[in-house]
């Protein structure tokens, strides 16, 4: 075994002036007692050497003491018998010469524990010092990096002088279409980043009020010259604002027949709050407004109907993928909640009452909203309170009843044989202008009446088919109603038969 360790040298014959050094080499062969260090030619635990006898004591891994005795050759013994402490190791050696078996009487002792503790403490101190130094250097580098980044951003040109801390820079020349396309290509699929939305909201100029409802007001505004619609909710309608914003920002929600969402924001102080929802602006207004002032030909009627049901079909359909879209039911479908674009197609709006289907848990996500739908468009199962609120398909079928009434409104304004009816709301001849639940329940549930068809429809094939379609949508039994996809396919076939390209 190697004997490079601390030692305490004891010799019987040495000069007084050589204290602390190895003894003079012996002149004859020396016999020594050996234990744990006996050479192969040893006999009766005895070894012989031309150097020294030694005894060593050391601490083993379990904390016990191990004593070893044996012979050291002359060559190198001067070094091995020196007192050289080794950190983390408690050992001590004594060497002797002068008489045979002198190492019998050697009893070296282990060095005190404080030496080891001191060595360990010294190492820990060094490690701590190094760690603190490295962390300090890293902190300084981070601070320098942040400082230069801040200075670089400060030097950037700003679009608006009054930009606040919760706004972001939108380069001049960027249109809303550009921003939305960028957000879609980035892969999120859930609308513009929040900071961009807030920036747009703060930079909008309100131009004129264009509508008012039970939820609040609608204004036409401008952002960098582009017209936008700004829906300003009453403070009491915060749940509707939150729900509509949440639904619009659902992944993969964007569709040409669903109103294009741009931004949402809350402005206010502790005493007042304004809730903004910013969307695309459509100057034709709602389908209700459009039908009141416009008559339709067959192509115009099919275009309005097909585009409306296309938006509803996208809403109702769940998309299953890594970034999927849940199935959504509208719950307040009516002609006032559908907008007409410049090209004569429709898009569905006002999603404040919408419900989502959570496919993972098979549950319906109903908004915590005190607002209810429009009584005139409510299906029988809602009016008589038989709708199963825990079954998502119930809400889908309720939407289809309402859509049947919208088809009736559209078809009445289609000219055939030079005849057209003036615009009217469904059940206009059966209930008051602001019907109660009782009024609607009596007509829809008890008497099971539906809007009547003008006689001229029977002599026009397209209007006759439209009549059949709406009857299958507003059937009393929800299970008998057509789905949005089935209505979409039927309208597509009708357009083909009329040689109309939608």
């Amino acid at each position: 075994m190697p004997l490079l360790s601390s030692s305490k040298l004891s010799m019987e014959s040495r000069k007084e002036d050589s204290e602390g050094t190895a003894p003079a080499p012996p002149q004859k062969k020396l016999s020594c007692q050996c234990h744990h260090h006996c050479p192969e030619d040893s006999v009766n635990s005895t070894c012989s050497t031309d150097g020294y006898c030694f005894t060593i004591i050391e601490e083993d891994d379990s904390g016990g003491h191990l004593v070893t005795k044996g012979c050291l050759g002359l060559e190198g013994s001067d070094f091995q018998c020196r007192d050289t402490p080794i950190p983390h190791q408690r050992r001590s050696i004594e060497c002797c010469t002068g008489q045979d078996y002198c190492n019998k009487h050697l009893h070296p002792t282990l060095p005190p524990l404080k030496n080891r503790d001191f060595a360990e403490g010294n190492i820990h101190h060094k490690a701590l010092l190094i760690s603190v130094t490295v962390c300090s250097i890293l902190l300084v580098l981070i601070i320098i990096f942040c400082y230069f980044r801040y200075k670089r951003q400060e030097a950037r040109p700003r679009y608006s002088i009054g930009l606040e801390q919760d706004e972001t820079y939108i380069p001049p020349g960027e249109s809303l279409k550009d921003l939305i396309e960028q957000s879609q290509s980035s892969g999120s699929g859930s609308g513009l980043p929040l900071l961009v939305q807030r920036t747009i909201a703060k930079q909008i100029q309100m131009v004129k009020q264009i509508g008012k409802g039970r939820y609040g007001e609608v204004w036409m505004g401008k952002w960098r010259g582009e017209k936008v619609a700004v829906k300003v909710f009453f403070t009491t309608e915060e749940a509707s604002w939150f729900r509509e914003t949440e639904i619009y920002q659902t992944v993969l929600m964007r569709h040409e027949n669903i109103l294009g969402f741009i931004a949402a924001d809350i402005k206010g102080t502790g005493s007042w709050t304004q809730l903004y929802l910013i969307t695309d602006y459509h100057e034709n207004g709602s389908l209700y407004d459009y039908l009141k002032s416009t008559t339709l030909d067959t192509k115009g009627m099919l275009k309005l109907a097909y585009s409306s049901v296309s938006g509803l079909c996208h809403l109702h359909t769940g998309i299953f993928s890594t970034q999927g879209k849940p199935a959504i039911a509208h719950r307040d479908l009516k002609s006032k909640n559908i907008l007409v674009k410049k090209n004569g197609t429709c898009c569905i709006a006002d999603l404040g009452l919408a419900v989502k289907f959570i496919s993972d848990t098979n549950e319906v996500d109903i908004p915590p909203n005190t607002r209810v739908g429009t009584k005139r468009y409510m299906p029988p199962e809602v009016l008589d309170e038989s709708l199963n609120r825990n079954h998502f398909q119930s809400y889908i079928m309720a939407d289809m009843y309402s859509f049947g009434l919208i088809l009736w409104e559209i078809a009445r304004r289609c000219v055939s044989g030079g005849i057209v009816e003036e615009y009217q709301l469904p059940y206009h001849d059966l209930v008051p202008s602001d019907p109660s639940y009782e009024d609607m329940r009596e007509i829809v549930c008890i008497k099971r009446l539906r809007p009547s068809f003008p006689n001229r429809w029977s002599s026009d094939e397209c209007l006759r088919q439209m009549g059949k379609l709406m009857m299958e949508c507003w059937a009393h039994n929800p299970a008998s109603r057509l789905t949005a996809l089935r209505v979409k396919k039927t309208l597509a076939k009708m357009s083909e038969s009329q040689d109309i390209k939608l």
Side-chain angles (χ1 to χ4, degrees):
M1 69 193 298
L3 295 170
L4 302 175
S5 65
S6 62
S7 70
K8 178 183 176 183
L9 182 61
S10 297
M11 298 189 308
E12 291 181 4
S13 56
R14 61 184 177 182
K15 294 182 181 178
E16 288 182 7
D17 59 351
S18 63
E19 193 173 319
T21 63
Q27 301 298 318
K28 61 174 185 173
K29 284 280 184 180
L30 186 67
S31 293
C32 306
Q33 187 182 33
C34 66
H35 178 62
H36 288 152
H37 196 267
C38 295
E40 289 181 5
D41 59 351
S42 63
V43 179
N44 295 330
S45 298
T46 299
C47 61
S48 60
T49 179
D50 58 353
Y52 304 97
C53 299
F54 76 87
T55 299
I56 184 170
I57 185 169
E58 58 188 327
E59 188 177 59
D60 60 19
D61 293 338
S62 62
H65 296 171
L66 180 66
V67 177
T68 304
K69 297 175 182 285
C71 300
L72 276 179
L74 182 61
E75 189 176 347
S77 59
D78 180 57
F79 173 74
Q80 295 203 57
C81 284
R82 285 188 182 278
D83 189 9
T84 52
I86 298 174
H88 301 296
Q89 205 168 23
R90 293 181 73 207
R91 295 173 71 173
S92 183
I93 185 171
E94 289 186 7
C95 301
C96 64
T97 186
Q99 68 179 45
D100 292 334
Y101 307 109
C102 63
N103 62 341
K104 275 187 183 181
H105 310 294
L106 296 178
H107 303 289
T109 55
L110 289 172
L113 274 170
K114 65 179 182 180
N115 293 343
R116 176 176 169 181
D117 290 345
F118 175 77
E120 287 182 353
N122 199 31
I123 288 169
H124 292 153
H125 178 73
K126 285 180 182 175
L128 181 64
L129 191 64
I130 291 167
S131 300
V132 170
T133 305
V134 169
C135 289
S136 300
I137 292 168
L138 285 173
L139 185 62
V140 169
L141 290 173
I142 290 168
I143 291 169
I144 291 168
F145 171 77
C146 293
Y147 173 77
F148 280 109
R149 188 171 178 181
Y150 168 76
K151 294 301 283 183
R152 190 176 65 182
Q153 286 183 346
E154 281 291 300
R156 263 176 107 174
R158 298 270 180 172
Y159 175 78
S160 173
I161 297 167
L163 265 145
E164 298 177 21
Q165 287 182 347
D166 57 355
E167 296 182 50
T168 189
Y169 174 76
I170 300 174
E174 290 277 9
S175 68
L176 290 170
K177 187 180 178 183
D178 293 335
L179 292 171
I180 287 162
E181 282 177 358
Q182 285 169 26
S183 75
Q184 286 184 293
S185 62
S186 68
S188 70
S190 57
L192 295 170
L194 183 59
L195 216 53
V196 175
Q197 288 186 37
R198 301 209 72 181
T199 304
I200 291 169
K202 290 182 190 309
Q203 294 174 354
I204 282 174
Q205 295 173 303
M206 297 291 216
V207 179
K208 64 177 180 178
Q209 186 178 323
I210 54 175
K212 191 169 185 177
R214 58 187 173 183
Y215 54 82
E217 301 169 347
V218 179
W219 285 69
M220 189 265 276
K222 283 192 175 182
W223 183 79
R224 297 187 180 181
E226 291 185 65
K227 289 180 181 178
V228 294
V230 183
K231 196 171 177 180
V232 185
F233 289 76
F234 295 133
T235 309
T236 52
E237 291 293 322
E238 185 173 354
S240 292
W241 172 85
F242 183 84
R243 187 56 166 193
E244 195 161 0
T245 301
E246 179 191 23
I247 296 288
Y248 272 125
Q249 294 191 97
T250 301
V251 173
L252 300 178
M253 184 65 180
R254 191 164 286 275
H255 186 273
E256 62 181 339
N257 301 121
I258 290 173
L259 180 60
F261 170 79
I262 297 169
D265 194 22
I266 300 177
K267 289 183 183 179
T269 61
S271 57
W272 61 273
T273 306
Q274 283 186 307
L275 309 160
Y276 291 128
L277 186 75
I278 299 148
T279 64
D280 292 343
Y281 173 75
H282 299 295
E283 60 187 32
N284 285 329
S286 69
L287 180 61
Y288 169 80
D289 296 323
Y290 185 74
L291 292 174
K292 279 206 297 185
S293 61
T294 312
T295 56
L296 309 168
D297 57 12
T298 303
K299 182 179 179 179
M301 174 184 70
L302 289 173
K303 209 171 182 181
L304 291 174
Y306 182 80
S307 56
S308 297
V309 82
S310 294
L312 188 60
C313 188
H314 180 72
L315 206 61
H316 285 181
T317 305
I319 300 170
F320 302 97
S321 66
T322 311
Q323 282 193 316
K325 168 197 162 294
I328 297 167
H330 192 285
R331 287 178 74 215
D332 193 18
L333 211 54
K334 57 183 177 181
S335 54
K336 288 183 180 178
N337 287 341
I338 295 175
L339 301 178
V340 181
K341 299 182 180 183
K342 268 185 182 179
N343 62 3
T345 62
C346 292
C347 58
I348 292 172
D350 195 350
L351 301 171
L353 281 178
V355 295
K356 292 192 290 187
F357 178 61
I358 313 301
S359 56
D360 292 345
T361 57
N362 210 31
E363 291 176 345
V364 181
D365 177 16
I366 302 171
N369 198 336
T370 53
R371 190 179 132 201
V372 293
T374 307
K375 293 187 279 290
R376 187 181 294 272
Y377 290 83
M378 284 181 179
E381 63 271 23
V382 172
L383 292 167
D384 66 14
E385 299 179 349
S386 64
L387 181 137
N388 183 353
R389 292 174 62 85
N390 297 317
H391 187 48
F392 181 72
Q393 197 62 21
S394 303
Y395 298 101
I396 294 287
M397 290 297 103
D399 277 354
M400 294 314 299
Y401 169 89
S402 305
F403 188 74
L405 299 179
I406 293 166
L407 287 179
W408 179 86
E409 292 176 73
I410 294 170
R412 274 176 58 92
R413 299 295 283 158
C414 180
V415 181
S416 67
I419 307 170
V420 66
E421 287 74 37
E422 66 174 11
Y423 175 79
Q424 292 289 356
L425 285 167
Y427 303 110
H428 68 100
D429 53 345
L430 299 171
V431 297
S433 58
D434 185 17
S436 66
Y437 279 106
E438 280 306 318
D439 294 331
M440 293 308 303
R441 192 181 296 115
E442 184 183 351
I443 295 299
V444 175
C445 302
I446 299 169
K447 294 184 179 179
R448 298 197 179 189
L449 297 176
R450 297 292 184 270
S452 58
F453 297 164
N455 292 331
R456 67 184 178 91
W457 286 13
S458 58
S459 57
D460 185 289
E461 180 58 24
C462 192
L463 286 170
R464 190 188 66 77
Q465 286 184 52
M466 283 287 281
K468 182 173 181 289
L469 201 57
M470 59 188 79
M471 284 176 68
E472 290 178 310
C473 286
W474 66 39
H476 189 83
N477 179 6
S480 302
R481 294 172 199 157
L482 298 178
T483 63
L485 182 60
R486 172 47 54 200
V487 175
K488 183 180 175 182
K489 287 181 177 178
T490 304
L491 287 169
K493 280 184 181 177
M494 287 169 61
S495 301
E496 280 178 32
S497 67
Q498 296 278 331
D499 252 354
I500 295 169
K501 288 186 179 180
L502 296 177

